[in-house]
């Protein structure tokens, strides 16, 4: 932990404990109803318009329809970001408004809101904790665990960490199969079954209406690419937010929530348009440290506190290197590749 504080001090010229930021960041937690309604409107309305345009384009050219659907995946991803904020209770002041907006969006994102919110809460409460892996995260083995694993387990883990699995097969499995059941919460109460089954029923009903009017071929041409591309992009963002070389993992006795939030999450620096389209989710270190801040206020935090804008910066070019990182090395305290382990 001390080496992390020293690196932070070198960046900011001031030794600041991650916990000390909570009082500062609390000033940004209050959402604006007008701003939230605006953000929802400028996301949902273009999504509907592009959906309609892609539907029309299918009568002209399937390639044109695919191109427009690909564009629309960005707005679906942004809707997921709004759903994400609703899950943290940060988008509107009233909890019920957050919850129902989140549930409605969950039908479009194929994500049962209450199930996801619970799993994501577990992710936030245990991010970077080696003893709390497995729910709401990308599973990461330590170098020691990998060395001691059987040949079969190593093979399975290698397959799991392959880019094709993480960014192609994984999104299809998560949004197409896993989200259809309250995985991880089978015995946690009927609330999660209602969430999953209710979302499934709404998805089936909405799909049936769309297929009735569009036809199944146009439905597949317009809806499937939008959903798959948004899911793959979301998976990529989630990956680079925690799977970078100098992230933080500790065993439970050494783990500190605020240290892990600030130092174990990246600041993904993107062009302004992509930052807008992803709902500032790249400002992930601030989000993890204080998840009640609405996404549209995260840039205020960076503007007012430049030292946070200099921490854990990762450009798009930097992020491409993260794909080769697979294991947490306990001795070097960084993520390493399979190749580095074998040296």
């Amino acid at each position: 932990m001390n080496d992390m504080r020293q690196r932070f001090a070198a960046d900011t010229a001031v030794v600041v404990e991650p916990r000390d930021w909570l009082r500062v960041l609390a000033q940004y937690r209050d959402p604006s109803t007008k701003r939230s309604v605006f953000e929802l409107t400028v996301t949902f309305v273009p999504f509907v318009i592009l959906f309609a345009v892609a539907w029309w384009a299918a009568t002209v050219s399937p390639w044109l329809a695919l191109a427009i659907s690909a564009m629309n995946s960005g707005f679906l991803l942004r809707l997921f970001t709004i759903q994400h904020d609703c899950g943290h209770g940060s988008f509107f002041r009233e909890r019920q408004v957050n919850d129902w907006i989140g549930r409605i969006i969950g039908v479009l994102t194929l994500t049962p809101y209450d199930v996801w919110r619970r799993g994501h809460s577990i992710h936030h409460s245990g991010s970077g904790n080696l003893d709390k892996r497995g729910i709401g995260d990308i599973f990461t083995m330590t170098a020691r665990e990998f060395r001691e694993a059987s040949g079969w387990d190593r093979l399975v883990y290698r397959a799991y960490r392959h880019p094709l699995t993480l960014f192609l097969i994984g999104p299809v499995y998560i949004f197409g199969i896993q989200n259809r059941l309250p995985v991880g919460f089978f015995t946690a109460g009927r609330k999660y079954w209602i969430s999953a089954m209710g979302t499934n029923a709404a998805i089936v009903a909405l799909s049936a209406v769309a297929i009735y009017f569009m036809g199944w071929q146009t439905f597949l041409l317009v809806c499937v690419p939008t959903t798959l591309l948004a899911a793959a992009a979301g998976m990529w963002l989630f990956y680079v937010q925690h799977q970078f070389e100098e992230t933080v993992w500790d065993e439970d006795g050494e783990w500190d929530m605020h240290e892990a939030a600030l130092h174990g999450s990246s600041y993904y620096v993107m062009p302004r348009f992509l930052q807008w389209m992803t709902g500032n989710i790249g400002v992930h270190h601030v989000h993890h440290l204080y998840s009640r801040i609405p996404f549209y206020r995260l840039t205020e935090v960076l503007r007012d506190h430049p030292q946070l804008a200099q921490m854990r910066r990762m450009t798009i070019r930097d992020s491409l290197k993260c794909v080769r990182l697979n294991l947490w090395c306990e001795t070097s305290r960084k993520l390493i590749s399979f190749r580095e382990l074998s040296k």
Side-chain angles (χ1 to χ4, degrees):
M1 296 296 180
N2 290 331
D3 60 332
M4 288 186 294
R5 294 194 185 103
Q6 289 169 2
R7 287 198 299 269
F8 183 32
D11 288 339
T12 64
V14 177
V15 178
V16 178
E17 294 285 344
R19 187 183 299 269
D20 296 337
W21 280 108
L22 300 182
R23 179 176 52 82
V24 176
L25 297 179
Q27 304 171 45
Y28 301 88
R29 64 173 287 170
D30 292 332
S32 162
T33 300
K34 290 183 179 180
R35 179 67 183 273
S36 294
V37 170
F38 172 78
E39 295 292 347
L40 182 59
T41 301
V42 298
T43 306
F44 182 71
V45 171
F47 173 78
V48 173
I49 291 174
L50 284 175
F51 175 83
V53 173
W55 181 359
W56 166 81
T59 64
V60 178
S61 166
W63 296 109
L64 180 60
L66 280 172
I68 297 171
S69 297
M71 291 172 54
N72 208 17
S73 67
F75 287 97
L76 184 59
L77 178 62
R78 200 168 198 269
L79 283 171
F80 188 88
T81 303
I82 293 174
Q83 179 186 359
H84 166 267
D85 266 26
C86 289
H88 284 292
S90 62
F91 199 63
F92 288 103
R93 294 176 184 271
E94 300 80 9
R95 177 173 177 175
Q96 286 192 342
V97 176
N98 279 311
D99 289 345
W100 281 106
I101 292 295
R103 288 174 185 133
I104 292 170
I105 294 177
V107 177
L108 300 175
T109 61
L110 309 185
T111 305
Y113 172 77
D114 293 285
V115 178
W116 173 85
R117 181 178 64 175
R118 178 57 180 156
H120 193 64
S121 175
I122 293 173
H123 161 67
H124 267 261
S125 64
S127 180
N129 190 323
L130 290 170
D131 296 311
K132 295 183 178 179
R133 288 169 288 174
I135 296 181
D137 61 4
I138 294 173
F139 183 70
T140 305
M141 292 182 74
T142 68
R144 177 183 56 79
E145 290 170 339
F146 187 77
R147 289 192 187 96
E148 296 175 355
S150 66
W152 173 253
D153 288 340
R154 290 188 186 188
L155 180 63
V156 169
Y157 184 70
R158 281 180 176 271
Y160 167 74
R161 298 287 300 205
H162 194 280
L164 286 178
T165 304
L166 289 174
F167 309 119
L168 182 61
I169 299 173
V172 172
Y173 169 75
I174 291 171
F175 290 93
I177 300 174
Q178 180 176 298
N179 280 356
R180 308 286 60 84
L181 293 169
V183 175
F185 305 103
F186 289 130
T187 60
R190 65 178 183 175
K191 171 182 178 180
Y192 302 107
W193 284 98
I194 292 173
S195 175
M197 296 304 108
T199 302
N200 291 344
I203 291 171
V204 170
L206 189 62
S207 299
V209 172
I211 292 172
Y212 177 80
F213 286 103
M214 302 172 67
W216 68 268
Q217 290 178 315
T218 303
F219 175 81
L220 293 178
L221 190 64
V222 172
C223 297
V224 173
T226 300
T227 303
L228 288 181
L229 287 173
M235 192 70 179
W236 170 256
L237 289 170
F238 186 72
Y239 180 87
V240 299
Q241 286 158 2
H242 298 285
Q243 298 285 319
F244 56 98
E245 187 175 30
E246 292 190 351
T247 188
V248 174
W249 287 92
D250 281 297
E251 293 182 353
D252 198 32
E254 297 292 324
W255 176 79
D256 179 86
M257 176 185 290
H258 304 104
E259 291 272 8
L262 189 60
H263 297 290
S265 307
S266 66
Y267 168 30
Y268 198 22
V269 183
M270 293 179 280
R272 185 168 296 183
F273 172 73
L274 289 179
Q275 184 172 305
W276 182 88
M277 191 62 78
T278 57
N280 297 325
I281 199 63
V283 191
H284 212 63
H285 59 319
V286 177
H287 166 68
H288 253 261
L289 192 56
Y290 208 102
S291 62
R292 290 296 300 274
I293 300 175
F295 75 81
Y296 50 78
R297 301 200 66 183
L298 289 171
T299 51
E300 293 180 40
V301 175
L302 298 185
R303 180 198 64 201
D304 297 343
H305 305 283
Q307 60 269 49
L308 289 174
Q310 298 305 315
M311 295 181 59
R312 291 298 188 256
R313 291 175 63 90
M314 179 191 300
T315 64
I316 292 178
R317 183 176 181 179
D318 294 333
S319 69
L320 299 178
K321 302 174 185 177
C322 297
V323 178
R324 65 178 180 82
L325 303 177
N326 313 109
L327 299 161
W328 173 250
C329 180
E330 303 94 322
T331 54
S332 65
R333 293 196 55 76
K334 62 181 183 180
L335 282 182
I336 63 173
S337 65
F338 291 124
R339 181 176 296 181
E340 288 177 285
L341 180 69
S342 62
K343 288 182 180 179

